[in-house]
Amino acid sequence: MRLRTAVRSLLPALSAALVLAALLLPAAPARAADNGTWGVFPTPPAGASVTDRAYFFHQGAAGTTVSDSATIVNSSDRELTFRVFATDAMNTPSGGAFALLPVQTRPKDVGAWVALAPGAEATVTVPPRGRKDVPFTVKVPQDAVPGDHVGGIVALNTEVEGVRKEGKVQVGVQRQVGARMYFRVPGPLTPGLTVEDVRVTRGAPLLPWVKDARATVTYTLVNRGNVVVEPRVAVSAEGLFGRRVLNRPARDPKLVLLPGQRVELTEPWPDAPQLDWVSVKVRAGAAAHPDLAPEAGTDFVAVPWPAAGVLLVLAGAGTTLLVLRRRRRSTAEEALSEPDLARAR
């Protein structure tokens, strides 16, 4: 209670509003959402203490209703009170981590289809070392588009656990944990994946070839289909005359790319060419969708710019000295020729 009063005194400008930190969930491996103090997962069958479901997986046509239940487990030695809500998922723009929207953001997709059981819409209190089941229904709208719709059921601790400063404002921080929900609406499924905006940034050493030049390949993956895609990415580069200077075989970036989402990824290149004309290609694919094989690329000229800059400065200085020397010589010759002109007169 004292902590809540202290936080309120720190936030007069925000009154009762709190900025809440959004929960970021790892893309893999699949496991129940748990922060060590409390967890959220699909309710196990009657009589079972655990479930083999880490996430919610459901399917339903437009207009149908699906029922399920979420279980909140309190692993601590004290009573905890949660605000339970459903929301939509997204990929973070940089890195593509799986994220569930915070409570103050209104869901527009599957999170808006979920209705919690009466009594759970306000707060849910879970005893120490106890659990609480929260039934809910998912009512699929009549105009729901086919494909994957991804969100989650979230338990937000109502206790303010800390204070942090954001600019000139201090905000209270509350933690939340959410279990993912994958919901598929039957219909035409169209996997789609593109590679876009490939670019290279370089850093060359002052003395070329004494140290390695470093570069970073940055690219964007976009899911333009209506199903979840787990991409694999290969990066390669060729120098002049087709010489291979980079060959990174296809790898899994541990990314679950949601429909309509775009993420920016980077590939470090610690031994990039220092003097070459380079063509870089980024190829993507997905094991579950072998027909997807997008690629994109870019060209760049690798030049040891620091060394080149020093050479240009030296060349400029040499040219300047040469010009000054010629001018002095020309002036001296003109001075010598003036007496001869006077005699001729």
Side-chain angles (χ1 to χ4, degrees):
M1 193 65 174
R2 292 178 182 174
L3 178 59
R4 293 172 185 259
T5 303
V7 172
R8 288 195 186 97
S9 67
L10 292 169
L11 303 172
L14 299 179
S15 62
L18 291 173
V19 177
L20 305 175
L23 174 70
L24 297 184
L25 297 175
R31 58 184 177 85
D34 192 317
N35 65 5
T37 305
W38 72 90
V40 183
F41 54 86
T43 299
S49 58
V50 295
T51 178
D52 59 355
R53 294 191 300 162
Y55 307 145
F56 296 98
F57 293 94
H58 287 294
Q59 179 170 300
T64 62
T65 300
V66 176
S67 299
D68 205 336
S69 175
T71 294
I72 304 173
V73 174
N74 179 4
S75 303
S76 71
D77 296 322
R78 58 192 181 89
E79 183 178 86
L80 295 176
T81 300
F82 302 97
R83 179 176 176 183
V84 183
F85 63 96
T87 191
D88 297 335
M90 61 171 285
N91 292 106
T92 57
S94 179
F98 185 98
L100 293 173
L101 300 178
V103 65
Q104 67 266 31
T105 302
R106 187 173 181 178
K108 299 179 180 180
D109 197 52
V110 68
W113 305 352
V114 176
L116 301 177
E121 297 177 351
T123 58
V124 173
T125 299
V126 184
R129 303 291 177 181
R131 56 177 274 184
K132 182 76 173 181
D133 297 339
V134 181
F136 64 87
T137 58
V138 183
K139 187 174 182 180
V140 187
Q142 293 288 349
D143 59 352
V145 298
D148 293 335
H149 302 261
V150 188
I153 303 294
V154 181
L156 168 68
N157 190 2
T158 58
E159 178 183 354
V160 177
E161 299 187 28
V163 177
R164 70 183 180 194
K165 191 172 183 179
E166 294 185 356
K168 296 182 179 180
V169 180
Q170 297 190 37
V171 297
V173 177
Q174 296 170 282
R175 285 195 297 165
Q176 65 183 38
V177 172
R180 303 185 195 186
M181 176 185 295
Y182 294 91
F183 199 102
R184 174 164 290 183
V185 177
L189 302 179
T190 55
L193 182 65
T194 61
V195 182
E196 303 176 7
D197 193 24
V198 180
R199 59 191 186 277
V200 178
T201 55
R202 297 178 63 253
L206 181 60
L207 296 176
W209 297 285
V210 174
K211 292 184 178 180
D212 289 338
R214 296 182 176 273
T216 300
V217 180
T218 304
Y219 57 94
T220 300
L221 295 181
V222 185
N223 186 343
R224 298 192 178 279
N226 63 358
V227 295
V228 168
V229 173
E230 297 185 43
R232 292 178 59 82
V233 180
V235 181
S236 63
E238 291 184 353
L240 287 173
F241 312 112
R243 183 172 60 92
R244 184 61 59 94
V245 294
L246 178 65
N247 186 19
R248 301 279 172 82
R251 64 178 181 86
D252 180 4
K254 307 298 182 183
L255 170 65
V256 178
L257 190 56
L258 308 181
Q261 297 288 301
R262 61 189 301 125
V263 301
E264 184 178 89
L265 301 175
T266 58
E267 183 80 19
W269 191 356
D271 55 348
Q274 301 196 41
L275 183 61
D276 209 338
W277 184 292
V278 185
S279 296
V280 177
K281 284 188 178 180
V282 178
R283 299 178 178 86
H289 308 288
D291 292 338
L292 293 179
E295 69 174 44
T298 188
D299 296 338
F300 71 94
V301 178
V303 176
W305 293 115
V310 172
L311 291 176
L312 287 174
V313 170
L314 294 175
T319 302
T320 302
L321 290 174
L322 182 61
V323 171
L324 291 175
R325 186 174 298 176
R326 287 180 176 177
R327 287 180 177 177
R328 288 172 183 172
R329 184 180 299 171
S330 177
T331 302
E333 290 176 352
E334 290 177 358
L336 290 173
S337 64
E338 285 179 357
D340 294 336
L341 290 175
R343 291 193 194 100
R345 290 173 183 173

